[in-house]
Amino acid sequence: MASASLLVCPSVTMAQPIPDWSIAQLEDAISEGELGKIKAAAIEQSGETIYRERFDKAEPGRPVDIKSAGKSITAIAVGMAIDDGALPGLDTKVWPLLGSERGAPFDAITVADLLGMASALDCNDWERRSPGQEEKMYRTRIWRDFALSLPAREFVRDEDGDGPFSYCTAGVFLLGQVVEAATGEAFDAYVERRLFDPLAIDGAEWRRSRSGEVQSGGQLTISDTALLKIGRMVLDGGEWQGQQIVSKEWLQHMLTPRHQLGEHVHYSNLWWATLLRSKSGYVPALMMKGNGGNMVALVPSFDAVLVVQTRNYNRKSAERNGFTVLTTLLASLGEAPAD
């Protein structure tokens, strides 16, 4: 069983206003449209796929755009580049590496800052008026130019060296540019060679700008089976079928929360940490999360990976509906196994 030491999250209870359903009740609710456009759901436990269902009449495994859940794969790619010795480390200054020195405070922005959504950029996707709001980037032809020319915000680091949290897709796009500059490979080609090929994942496709740049900040179209494999690899400390894909040390760092965004909600390095309700009570979960309620939850206490894929994009109910699916999937596993 995978070690729960990969997760740093308070083990306390959390109230979630979601129904207590069986799998059959969940399937009925999805078929009746109560949860919007849920496309697929799956459970993998201890290396075995024990539930997998498609709800939209498409063939099983047809890729779905998981939106910002793809950011978590960018975090893995950054770790692989560090493991490979191509990227010097988290303290690497991004603007100088990309050949776009601007002076303070931009030249001091590090890889770590962008990974933790804690840079000096005036960029907040959750605020439409923000200069860096992602929809403004998408309207431009060259996203790199947009991101590198963003203004600065008021910025003070805390005692741990982190700036205040600000959810910024443009910054995560720049991390893809960092991986490209460090490795000499296109971001998608590097991820394919280092992650997708070893896990026998095919058919994944990243959105691109009009100039051809890969959107490493999310908008990845990928299958449920691929997400189960990635989740299993992370739960197993970076190992897949005897091959070390990414170092356990990187995963430990990647998954350590840096910001508390709610009573039981933490953000680490492009991954989330929260609690999910199970038959055993509330248990810690590591999560990839994207618009529409697209989620991958890693639950160490159950040695399980849960996947929900949806097209409930930009709907207020999307996240609650996604958590309804995840909670039902987890409850179907019964009590957490004894250590």
Side-chain angles (χ1 to χ4, degrees), residues 8-311:
V8 181
C9 185
S11 53
V12 292
T13 59
M14 176 178 65
Q16 294 182 1
I18 54 179
D20 184 9
W21 282 342
S22 67
I23 289 287
Q25 289 173 312
L26 174 69
E27 292 175 343
D28 287 344
I30 292 173
S31 68
E32 292 170 7
E34 293 181 26
L35 300 181
K37 299 178 181 179
I38 303 295
K39 297 298 181 180
I43 309 169
E44 189 262 35
Q45 186 175 36
S46 302
E48 179 182 358
T49 300
I50 62 175
Y51 177 84
R52 184 172 177 238
E53 192 64 45
R54 188 82 190 195
F55 302 106
D56 62 354
K57 299 182 180 180
E59 66 275 16
R62 182 172 180 177
V64 174
D65 185 352
I66 61 172
K67 301 298 182 181
S68 285
K71 288 178 168 68
S72 300
I73 294 176
T74 296
I76 295 173
V78 169
M80 294 188 299
I82 293 173
D83 288 345
D84 292 346
L87 183 62
L90 292 170
D91 292 335
T92 301
K93 305 296 193 297
V94 172
W95 266 247
L97 176 66
L98 298 181
S100 185
E101 296 182 69
R102 292 177 68 184
F106 307 100
D107 292 352
I109 294 174
T110 66
V111 169
D113 292 336
L114 298 182
L115 277 167
M117 300 288 192
S119 80
L121 293 179
D122 191 355
C123 176
N124 183 353
D125 295 342
W126 299 346
E127 173 52 62
R128 289 188 178 275
R129 295 183 179 180
S130 170
Q133 206 272 343
E134 66 177 313
E135 294 301 327
K136 296 177 182 178
M137 182 175 76
Y138 299 146
R139 292 195 290 268
T140 67
R141 184 175 184 276
I142 302 175
W143 295 345
R144 177 177 171 130
D145 290 351
F146 173 89
L148 289 174
S149 63
L150 286 173
R153 59 173 173 152
E154 292 186 11
F155 184 79
V156 177
R157 296 184 184 273
D158 63 20
E159 59 186 14
D160 296 320
D162 274 333
F165 180 87
S166 185
Y167 194 88
C168 177
T169 292
V172 187
F173 164 74
L174 286 179
L175 286 174
Q177 298 291 297
V178 164
V179 170
E180 290 191 356
T183 65
E185 295 182 60
F187 178 80
D188 56 339
Y190 181 74
V191 172
E192 183 173 351
R193 178 175 66 83
R194 285 287 278 105
L195 179 63
F196 292 166
D197 285 351
L199 272 58
I201 292 171
D202 56 22
E205 185 174 349
W206 302 84
R207 179 181 174 179
R208 294 177 179 271
S209 70
R210 283 178 283 160
S211 61
E213 302 153 303
V214 177
Q215 174 49 314
S216 52
Q219 301 195 43
L220 171 65
T221 301
I222 194 168
S223 71
D224 57 341
T225 51
L227 295 172
L228 290 176
K229 290 178 178 181
I230 293 168
R232 170 51 48 194
M233 183 273 294
V234 173
L235 268 182
D236 285 350
E239 185 175 321
W240 178 261
Q241 297 182 350
Q243 181 180 355
Q244 196 70 35
I245 305 300
V246 62
S247 68
K248 186 173 183 178
E249 292 74 19
W250 172 254
L251 296 181
Q252 288 276 56
H253 176 83
M254 182 182 77
L255 300 173
T256 299
R258 296 172 61 179
H259 306 281
Q260 185 166 358
L261 304 182
E263 186 178 4
H264 307 292
V265 180
H266 293 75
Y267 198 80
S268 52
N269 294 282
L270 308 184
W271 283 73
W272 299 79
T274 189
L275 301 174
L276 289 179
R277 191 181 70 206
S278 77
K279 294 293 186 183
S280 304
Y282 286 91
V283 295
L286 303 156
M287 295 188 65
M288 304 166 58
K289 287 177 56 182
N291 189 334
N294 285 282
M295 300 178 186
V296 180
L298 282 54
V299 188
S301 59
F302 282 81
D303 194 27
V305 181
L306 316 175
V307 171
V308 56
Q309 292 181 297
T310 90
R311 291 193 183 278

